[in-house]
Amino acid sequence: MLSDTLQRRLESIPVLSKQGKIINGLSRIMTAPKLWLQAYEDIAPNRGATTRGVTSDTLDGFSLERLTKIIDQVSNGTYRFSPVRRVLIPKANGKTRPLGIPTASDKLVQSVVKIILERIYEPVFSPKSYGFRRGCSCHDALLDIKHHWTGVKWLIDIDVVSFFDNIDHRVLLALLSRKIEDKRFLRLINNMLKAGYMEDWKFSLRKLWFLWETSLLKTLAFKLRLSVNQVAHRLKTRNGLVVRFCIHGKERAVAVFSLKHLNQLPNLGNKVDKLAVPWFTSGRSDVMDRLLARQCEYCGATGVPCEIHHSRKLADMKDTPLWKQVAAARRRKRIVLCLTCHKSLHAGTLKPRNGNGNWQTWRAG
């Protein structure tokens, strides 16, 4: 699926990473359309492919033109991430866990970044690390424990409360910069982290807290003629940031409070302050070949811009033969349509290709 030149560059990344060398040129790699098609194939089969974030943007209607626009925006630095839509998912113990749902375009950009980061860090990860890694699962960890932890009688399960909600983004970016020397690529990740989230259609104040703290550090750094990192190191304590000062010869310390310490947050109203808008294989799925062919699979028009239609649920195919329903489930019910047919399909005005009155009976894969 990837060109020979790009494939060689990607294959060299794990080797360089193992040697402890700094990786650069990632922004240029991100301009390869075939890499984005691979990223689309990674996320398209997921159930959330047609789930909306804070906008109506989904993977339904994916096209080469839409892809080119996103690549151009990422390349020239004008791409802006939208806040993720946060929903609460019930847990077995009666509590809930937050789930962030990005827009489809953001999912696609994140998938490309993930593919590249996997090439850098997978070779240097511990073989005993099984969390959130391609090809690894809890079952693998349990098999490892079964075969090697034969003398263990007790296991302690430790759960860090709101771990991902409290990751220091500055520390995370500093760790990435140890192996990645590409400011544009790191800036893209930084913008991704600062996008924030919306819950019950209210924008999170996490971004405001970040700006608040950063402004404080920069102000103190300017007055003390120090770097921001030096000021942060001086203020950092076990209980958070603390500002020390002297009054009448006595030193006093004042904790820098966070927004979570406020009893009541201000009402921001209905308006949202929103910014403007792996492992690689040489194979390619047939849906990509069908999209690149630029031929509508319904009306048969050729050489025209096409989009991929995602059927939201198998109930839409209840009148089709079983083998077609199975095939559609395996391929996530995708069909390549020209713009006219796709628009007519969503409007409910698509005329049947034959006399049975149902377009799905022709092809739903």
Side-chain angles (χ1 to χ4, degrees):
M1 180 170 184
L2 303 173
S3 65
D4 293 339
T5 302
L6 179 58
Q7 186 70 35
R8 287 194 299 269
R9 293 179 65 182
L10 289 170
E11 290 175 352
S12 68
I13 291 178
V15 178
L16 295 174
S17 183
K18 283 184 178 180
Q19 295 174 352
K21 295 183 178 180
I22 302 298
I23 310 297
N24 54 31
L26 300 180
S27 297
R28 293 192 298 272
I29 293 179
M30 289 194 67
T31 61
K34 292 185 177 180
L35 179 63
W36 291 77
L37 293 178
Q38 176 70 50
Y40 167 78
E41 276 300 295
D42 288 345
I43 62 177
N46 298 336
R47 292 185 177 181
T50 56
T51 302
R52 297 180 178 181
V54 296
T55 67
S56 59
D57 181 26
T58 70
L59 287 182
D60 182 43
F62 177 82
S63 65
L64 298 178
E65 290 74 19
R66 177 179 173 183
L67 181 63
T68 301
K69 181 180 178 181
I70 297 176
I71 295 176
D72 290 342
Q73 290 178 339
V74 172
S75 178
N76 59 33
T78 60
Y79 185 84
R80 295 294 181 266
F81 291 92
S82 300
V84 299
R85 180 168 66 90
R86 174 174 282 192
V87 295
L88 299 179
I89 306 299
K91 298 173 65 175
N93 58 6
K95 297 182 180 180
T96 59
R97 66 177 180 87
L99 175 66
I101 305 176
T103 63
S105 298
D106 288 352
K107 288 179 184 178
L108 192 59
V109 178
Q110 293 171 4
S111 181
V112 173
V113 172
K114 176 176 178 289
I115 289 174
I116 295 176
L117 290 179
E118 283 180 342
R119 299 294 287 183
I120 298 174
Y121 290 100
E122 275 292 338
V124 295
F125 273 161
S126 167
K128 301 297 183 181
S129 176
Y130 295 98
F132 302 99
R133 297 178 65 186
R134 189 186 295 267
C136 298
S137 66
C138 298
H139 297 88
D140 297 318
L142 292 175
L143 288 175
D144 194 332
I145 293 174
K146 179 180 179 180
H147 294 152
H148 298 95
W149 296 23
T150 55
V152 176
K153 293 185 177 180
W154 292 92
L155 292 176
I156 301 177
D157 182 17
I158 299 177
D159 184 15
V160 180
V161 178
S162 302
F163 173 74
F164 292 105
D165 292 337
N166 295 286
I167 292 179
D168 193 324
H169 293 167
R170 290 168 300 181
V171 174
L172 180 61
L173 291 169
L175 293 173
L176 291 175
S177 63
R178 292 182 181 180
K179 294 189 70 69
I180 300 175
E181 193 178 53
D182 190 320
K183 292 183 179 180
R184 291 173 59 189
F185 185 77
L186 293 176
R187 189 182 304 118
L188 181 68
I189 297 179
N190 184 43
N191 293 338
M192 186 188 307
L193 295 173
K194 294 194 299 182
Y197 65 88
M198 291 186 68
E199 186 173 350
D200 293 331
W201 300 107
K202 294 181 180 179
F203 188 62
S204 167
L205 293 179
R206 178 180 179 85
K207 180 179 178 183
L208 178 59
W209 171 83
F210 176 81
L211 295 174
W212 184 352
E213 180 180 312
T214 303
S215 177
L216 170 66
L217 295 178
K218 287 184 176 181
T219 301
L220 293 178
F222 176 77
K223 292 183 176 296
L224 298 176
R225 299 295 189 270
L226 298 173
S227 68
V228 173
N229 288 336
Q230 288 175 323
V231 173
H233 181 73
R234 287 190 178 188
L235 302 185
K236 190 174 183 180
T237 66
R238 181 178 301 179
N239 298 321
L241 299 181
V242 173
V243 177
R244 297 180 177 85
F245 55 93
C246 291
I247 296 181
H248 304 302
K250 295 182 180 181
E251 183 179 275
R252 295 188 178 183
V254 177
V256 180
F257 63 90
S258 300
L259 293 178
K260 64 182 180 181
H261 298 137
L262 297 177
N263 293 326
Q264 184 176 2
L265 297 179
N267 183 9
L268 300 181
N270 296 326
K271 294 185 178 180
V272 177
D273 183 13
K274 178 180 173 184
L275 295 175
V277 253
W279 300 102
F280 297 92
T281 62
S282 58
R284 177 169 63 213
S285 72
D286 69 323
V287 71
M288 286 293 99
D289 291 327
R290 289 151 48 198
L291 178 63
L292 294 171
R294 292 183 176 273
Q295 179 176 1
C296 179
E297 297 180 343
Y298 189 83
C299 69
T302 58
V304 296
C306 294
E307 298 176 340
I308 298 179
H309 170 69
H310 288 244
S311 179
R312 290 187 60 86
K313 51 185 180 297
L314 283 175
D316 297 338
M317 305 176 57
K318 59 183 178 181
D319 297 325
T320 61
L322 178 60
W323 69 269
K324 288 191 176 182
Q325 295 186 35
V326 173
R330 291 174 61 87
R331 300 161 69 180
R332 290 305 303 165
K333 312 167 291 294
R334 288 177 285 170
I335 181 174
V336 177
L337 299 174
C338 66
L339 300 183
T340 301
C341 289
H342 196 197
K343 183 178 180 179
S344 299
L345 173 63
H346 281 284
T349 59
L350 185 63
K351 296 181 180 180
R353 188 170 180 268
N354 45 43
N356 55 32
N358 195 329
W359 73 272
Q360 287 100 338
T361 58
W362 171 64
R363 183 173 187 177

